Amino acid sequence: MLHLSVQDADNATYHRSIIMEVKAYLEITMQIPAAAAGVYAAYREPFLKTIAGALTKELLVRDDDVQVLHGFDSAAHAAAYLESALFKEDVFKGLQPLWSAAPDVRIYTVA
């Protein structure tokens, strides 16, 4: 849920809540050290603030691998993120040296 405060021409403030539902997930599974969480932390806020349709981003850690689960309002926005400058120039370049194997990238739609 997104909470907004809107001020009108008379400087009266109105509060609105908008329910934003995740309709698609981008899952990226990587065989990297859990210490790579710093890259996740550095780009979580820019992802949520600047990427169209981005709603959530979670880091899932196991002994064998790390998954980043991104929630979007559509599968099209999930796919577009993979082509974005933030992903290609920052996230990808920051993580690539840490990979022991190519990442598994999947987009799922919510049924």
Side-chain angles (χ1 to χ4, degrees), residues 10-98:
D10 297 324
N11 289 327
T13 302
Y14 299 93
H15 301 281
R16 300 280 186 260
S17 295
I18 301 171
I19 297 174
M20 301 179 77
E21 215 174 303
V22 173
K23 299 287 186 182
Y25 288 96
L26 166 63
E27 175 190 72
I28 302 175
T29 303
M30 299 166 279
Q31 294 179 358
I32 59 174
V39 174
Y40 164 82
Y43 295 110
R44 184 177 192 278
E45 189 171 335
F47 167 80
L48 293 171
K49 287 185 174 182
T50 65
I51 297 300
L55 301 175
T56 64
K57 185 174 182 180
E58 302 296 331
L59 179 66
L60 309 174
V61 180
R62 299 189 306 177
D63 290 339
D64 298 337
D65 58 27
V66 171
Q67 291 183 344
V68 182
L69 190 61
H70 308 73
F72 287 90
D73 62 359
S74 70
H77 279 142
Y81 169 61
L82 294 173
E83 300 301 320
S84 73
L86 178 66
F87 182 76
K88 287 182 168 184
E89 299 300 320
D90 297 322
V91 176
F92 183 87
K93 286 183 178 179
L95 291 172
Q96 188 177 21
L98 304 172

